[in-house]
Amino acid sequence: MMMLPSQKRVGLLISTLLLSTLSLVSSSYFDDKVDKNKNEEAINAYLTKGNNALGSGNLHSAGRSYEACLRMDPDQRYCLINYASVLVDLNAEESDESMKQQRTKKAQDMLTRVLALHPKDGDAAFNLALLLQDSSNSEEVTREAARLYQVAVQAADTDGEERWDALANMAAAKQEIGEFMGEYGAIRAYERVIVMLEEMVQDK
């Protein structure tokens, strides 16, 4: 069927509009991808800078880098965990009790956030358990700490690692709340700790 001139013009206009729309969508997609890659590079740069500062003992510099990282991505897992560690370390040289409490609360909130996003994160679980036990000796807190230590131990078991510190703390917490039996009970945990320590001594 032969197209009339007016039909050709309409067809050409539609084709032009489609091409223009596709071009805009494609441009937007690649722009978003470039922006995302740039953000990830900046986030990783802040994380690395913070880690280097933390490794050299420059806590304030490390904290500033982790803060910058978290401004770009409030859920960045390792910035949250490491910044929490910085806050705890800063408390060691702090005399103001109010400031200590603020930092401790902030660190706890950060680690809780990590575990909400990554429930099996062993480092976040272990560090949060330590903070909880430092803040209270209540049975409720001890029970929660025991659960968190178990998360850390299970994460280490999954990764094929040996975390005698998490095992020892879990064993003590489980003993305190009367949980002795089972794979992650106090008795088995103490047995595993003894074996690990014996192996460490033999390797020296």
Side-chain angles (χ1 to χ4, degrees):
M1 177 175 137
M2 182 178 294
M3 293 180 66
L4 297 175
S6 60
Q7 291 176 311
K8 289 181 179 179
R9 285 197 296 275
V10 170
L12 179 61
L13 178 60
I14 292 172
S15 298
T16 302
L17 287 171
L18 282 172
L19 286 172
S20 177
T21 301
L22 286 172
S23 176
L24 286 171
V25 170
S26 176
S27 175
S28 175
Y29 169 78
F30 285 113
D31 287 346
D32 289 345
K33 193 169 183 180
V34 168
D35 288 342
K36 184 178 180 181
N37 288 339
K38 285 183 178 179
N39 281 345
E40 288 179 355
E41 288 177 2
I43 288 167
N44 289 332
Y46 282 126
L47 175 60
T48 300
K49 186 177 179 181
N51 291 346
N52 290 337
L54 180 58
S56 63
N58 194 336
L59 298 178
H60 292 284
S61 177
R64 288 191 294 271
S65 294
Y66 294 138
E67 284 177 350
C69 171
L70 293 171
R71 279 196 294 271
M72 300 189 72
D73 182 0
D75 294 331
Q76 215 292 335
R77 180 178 188 175
Y78 302 108
C79 281
L80 285 167
I81 293 173
N82 293 352
Y83 191 23
S85 295
V86 167
L87 293 172
V88 173
D89 289 344
L90 284 171
N91 273 352
E93 56 189 44
E94 180 63 61
S95 59
D96 186 333
E97 287 300 322
S98 176
M99 180 61 71
K100 282 186 177 182
Q101 291 176 7
Q102 290 178 34
R103 288 196 184 115
T104 298
K105 178 64 167 58
K106 189 173 182 179
Q108 288 177 347
D109 289 344
M110 287 180 171
L111 296 172
T112 299
R113 179 62 179 163
V114 173
L115 289 169
L117 297 168
H118 309 280
K120 297 181 180 180
D121 190 296
D123 290 330
F126 181 82
N127 292 344
L128 181 56
L130 289 175
L131 287 176
L132 290 177
Q133 286 193 302
D134 283 343
S135 66
S136 172
N137 293 322
S138 71
E139 180 179 343
E140 181 182 0
V141 167
T142 302
R143 193 172 295 279
E144 176 62 8
R147 184 191 70 81
L148 291 167
Y149 287 132
Q150 182 170 325
V151 170
V153 171
Q154 288 175 320
D157 289 346
T158 298
D159 294 338
E161 299 175 352
E162 293 184 343
R163 288 208 57 174
W164 69 268
D165 53 352
L167 268 169
N169 288 2
M170 182 184 74
K174 291 287 183 91
Q175 178 184 357
E176 193 169 337
I177 61 176
E179 292 185 9
F180 294 95
M181 308 308 293
E183 183 180 0
Y184 293 99
I187 294 174
R188 178 61 182 145
Y190 278 128
E191 290 173 346
R192 290 181 61 185
V193 171
I194 291 170
V195 171
M196 286 183 187
L197 293 177
E198 287 176 343
E199 290 176 349
M200 289 171 62
V201 171
Q202 291 172 1
D203 289 341
K204 286 187 177 180

